Amino acid sequence: HAVSLVLHELDFWVPFVTMSLATYFASASFAHESAFAATAVTAVVSYTVNVLLADADLTERKIKSKASGAVKYISMLLAIAVFTILLAFDHFPRAKNHEYSYHFIYNKGVVETVSMVTRFMATPLLFMTKFLVKSLVYKGRTVIIKMPLVRHVMPKRELHDFLRRRGESNRRSSSSSTTPVSSLHAPEPPTPASPESSPPE
């Protein structure tokens, strides 16, 4: 359920898509060498699991921990920023700024790999800064999911009863919310007229 809540947020998909595109163009700068391609895939998976899906971590250690997780965000932010800066200023001997030309209808354009890396990588860096600030201000809260989550550690044998009670509570609340108003405020039955007040036949 927590993973589903994360996947329904744009704060997950926007940095995930832009990070994937940035690593693809970075791999293209290295001519898609197998070593760097494996490194790029590892970086995307690590960023997705450790940062974007961090709100879905329901382990006992994570729930009982009161830490903000700022160290994780800072280390990931610095690693991505340093790599982007080194690539942009041509400090990787095997990396080259390849150009790809394209034709669209009557327009012709050129795309540079390093330029696309810096443009796409700016979005994950901005979201990382946002997550870092939120983790420092709201310690123990979620950074992607907009609603607060109530997390509780319980023995596995108590999980079935807990889910059953929660289901019954949800059914009662839904049935009470759909009760028609007329049944809550039924009109009083009419009072029969007394013989004295009845009109003569």
Side-chain angles (χ1 to χ4, degrees):
H1 180 64
V3 174
S4 176
L5 292 176
V6 173
L7 296 180
H8 280 80
E9 297 291 342
L10 283 177
D11 285 357
F12 170 84
W13 289 107
V14 173
F16 174 75
V17 172
T18 52
M19 180 72 174
S20 301
L21 291 174
T23 52
Y24 172 79
F25 283 105
S27 178
S29 300
F30 287 84
H32 297 294
E33 292 184 357
S34 58
F36 184 83
T39 304
V41 172
T42 304
V44 174
V45 172
S46 177
Y47 178 77
T48 304
V49 174
N50 295 314
V51 177
L52 300 181
L53 292 177
D55 290 349
D57 187 0
L58 301 179
T59 58
E60 182 177 356
R61 176 185 57 83
K62 175 66 176 180
I63 294 174
K64 291 184 176 181
S65 176
K66 301 299 181 182
S68 62
V71 177
K72 176 179 63 178
Y73 293 119
I74 291 175
S75 59
M76 189 72 70
L77 178 64
L78 290 177
I80 296 175
V82 169
F83 170 78
T84 305
I85 292 172
L86 292 178
L87 182 63
F89 288 94
D90 196 17
H91 285 282
F92 291 104
R94 295 186 178 182
K96 295 182 179 179
N97 189 18
H98 299 283
E99 294 184 353
Y100 296 94
S101 59
Y102 65 91
H103 296 269
F104 181 73
I105 307 178
Y106 298 105
N107 298 322
K108 180 180 179 181
V110 177
V111 175
E112 298 180 349
T113 55
V114 175
S115 175
M116 299 304 295
V117 170
T118 55
R119 292 183 182 185
F120 282 121
M121 196 65 79
T123 302
L125 291 175
L126 290 176
F127 274 85
M128 284 288 297
T129 306
K130 173 186 174 182
F131 298 157
L132 175 61
V133 173
K134 291 182 68 175
S135 65
L136 292 175
V137 175
Y138 306 104
K139 294 183 179 181
R141 297 283 297 274
T142 55
V143 296
I144 291 182
I145 303 175
K146 298 298 189 296
M147 58 184 297
L149 294 182
V150 178
R151 305 177 184 183
H152 179 67
V153 179
M154 66 177 62
K156 187 177 181 179
R157 61 180 179 273
E158 298 179 4
L159 180 61
H160 178 72
D161 294 335
F162 171 76
L163 295 176
R164 179 178 54 81
R165 291 193 301 268
R166 190 180 68 172
E168 293 176 354
S169 177
N170 292 337
R171 285 193 295 270
R172 285 197 299 268
S173 61
S174 61
S175 61
S176 62
S177 61
T178 57
T179 303
V181 179
S182 58
S183 63
L184 297 177
H185 302 281
E188 298 180 357
T191 305
S194 60
E196 293 78 10
S197 59
S198 58
E201 296 180 356

